[in-house]
Amino acid sequence: MDINISAVAEAVLKAIEKSATTEGDIPVGISNRHIHLSQEHLEILFGKGYELTSMKELSQPGQYACNELLTIVGTSLRPIENVRVLGPVRSASQVEISRTDSFLLKVKPPVRESGKIGGSAPITIIGPKGIVSLKEGCIIANRHIHMSLEDGKRFGVKDNEYVTIDAIGERKTRFFDVQVRVSDQFRLEMHLDTDDANAAGLKNCSRVSIVK
Amino acid sequence: MDINISAVAEAVLKAIEKSATTEGDIPVGISNRHIHLSQEHLEILFGKGYELTSMKELSQPGQYACNELLTIVGTSLRPIENVRVLGPVRSASQVEISRTDSFLLKVKPPVRESGKIGGSAPITIIGPKGIVSLKEGCIIANRHIHMSLEDGKRFGVKDNEYVTIDAIGERKTRFFDVQVRVSDQFRLEMHLDTDDANAAGLKNCSRVSIVK
């Protein structure tokens, strides 16, 4: 019997979305601290010719959590271990942490859209084969929503528009200035870091709503 | 020359409040994880006849941060060290943590008003002379504002009323269901835990506003 794996995955995802008990129509994806690497830095950290290995696919098509884990360290010299690498490799390395992490590390990352790392904070990444000291690349990710072209129409929002979001978790919270990213490469999901998620009491099965 | 220390302290506090750059008229006090102890538990943890020693006064009259630090541990068996005790002693011991802490400890504290610990989460406190395993007492503090009778009148709110608060930090955030506590024993201050503060990018010098 032939099984269409991606159709099954799609059905399971939809079932999970439907079973969520929180109010709202946008599923939440909580981003823990993570690292994106350039191929050059990947090879410094893991050795020449090294390639990322996928542990599991993420909700956004083509993105995956890797088996590779690294240690990050800032000016406090207190390391955070087991920070997961996300694939695929990018043109520039980037370390996304929460403000809570930033106090432990003693780094001062700006709140930024992923990829906009110009002038962001320095941080050091320690791997099994080498160390990379980024002069810039450490950010706190901005609040953002990924959505397909179809969902963009449904919600009446355009790529790069900013919206307000209500999260009715254990502590009701409104998030302002949430960037919307619309693309045929995206699947509907609001990305929050652990500070935002824990403030509001949201989980990965939670759902939130656009206020305007 | 006689110096009126409390008048000087008052003036410094007011100057600090005025120098804050964030919008809003209510100063923020960020609560890190901390412990309140009964005299009985204090003596189990530190020895018979032990008394708390004050490191510094807190903004609420009569409350102080103690020199005493303890270790807390939950079902993960991963301890959090150096958790500060706040004085004076209370009739029941209580451990206030953030949701971020709760994941590390593997405890499931409810969001509660301080003192309402019935049916809250169990947690173990480790001291230099003994250990206390609380069957209940671990909570995530609710969002709340302390204010004087005078401030209650100024803001038009009563004791135990709930208000909505806007925080214009690096990530603008609205906090719903914020309990107001009005008493002649209180000084104007909104208490947030580190998750709420870090989500919004608030510091101890930040100020917030009542929306309604």
Side-chain angles (χ1 to χ4, degrees), chain A residues 99-100 103 109-111 140-143 166 170-177 193-201, chain B residues 99-100 103 109-111 140-143 166 170-177 193-201:
Chain A
R99 193 176 303 274
T100 298
F103 294 130
V111 175
I140 295 172
N142 70 347
R143 300 161 173 168
D166 267 1
E170 194 167 5
R171 296 198 294 195
K172 185 179 171 189
T173 305
R174 179 170 291 182
F175 301 114
F176 295 90
D177 307 323
D193 67 16
T194 48
D195 285 341
D196 274 339
N198 292 339
Chain B
R99 192 176 303 276
T100 298
F103 293 130
V111 175
I140 295 172
N142 70 347
R143 300 161 174 168
D166 268 0
E170 193 167 6
R171 296 197 293 194
K172 186 180 171 189
T173 305
R174 178 170 292 182
F175 301 113
F176 295 90
D177 308 323
D193 69 15
T194 46
D195 285 341
D196 274 338
N198 291 340

Side-chain angles (χ1 to χ4, degrees), chain A residues 17 22 25 42 53 117 135 150 165 195-196 212:
Chain A
E17 286 176 8
T22 324
D25 40 20
L42 174 65
T53 63
I117 56 169
K135 286 183 182 164
E150 192 182 51
I165 288 288
D195 285 341
D196 274 339
K212 59 177 183 181

Side-chain angles (χ1 to χ4, degrees), chain B residues 44 66 71-72 95 152 167 180-181:
Chain B
I44 293 172
C66 300
T71 293
I72 56 175
V95 178
V180 178
R181 302 303 313 273

Side-chain angles (χ1 to χ4, degrees), chain B residues 24-141:
Chain B
D25 40 20
I26 300 176
V28 165
I30 301 170
S31 300
N32 203 346
R33 63 184 80 94
H34 62 269
I35 301 171
H36 300 281
L37 290 175
S38 67
Q39 183 62 34
E40 180 199 347
H41 289 159
L42 175 65
E43 295 192 22
I44 293 172
L45 294 162
F46 289 97
K48 196 163 168 54
Y50 194 88
E51 290 186 12
L52 288 174
T53 63
S54 172
M55 183 185 73
K56 68 166 183 182
E57 289 190 13
L58 297 176
S59 57
Q60 296 309 312
Q63 305 295 306
Y64 50 93
C66 300
N67 294 300
E68 286 74 21
L69 301 170
L70 293 163
T71 293
I72 56 175
V73 64
T75 60
S76 71
L77 305 186
R78 294 173 66 192
I80 296 183
E81 301 174 10
N82 299 320
V83 183
R84 195 164 297 281
V85 178
L86 302 192
V89 291
R90 292 188 174 188
S91 58
S93 296
Q94 175 176 306
V95 178
E96 295 180 45
I97 64 173
S98 68
R99 192 176 303 276
T100 298
D101 294 336
S102 78
F103 293 130
L104 186 147
L105 295 165
K106 282 208 174 149
V107 295
K108 292 189 173 174
V111 175
R112 287 286 181 83
E113 178 184 344
S114 182
K116 302 228 164 145
I117 56 170
S120 63
I123 195 158
T124 296
I125 309 173
I126 304 169
K129 294 286 175 65
I131 291 173
V132 170
S133 279
L134 298 178
K135 285 183 182 164
E136 59 185 25
C138 182
I139 64 168
I140 295 172

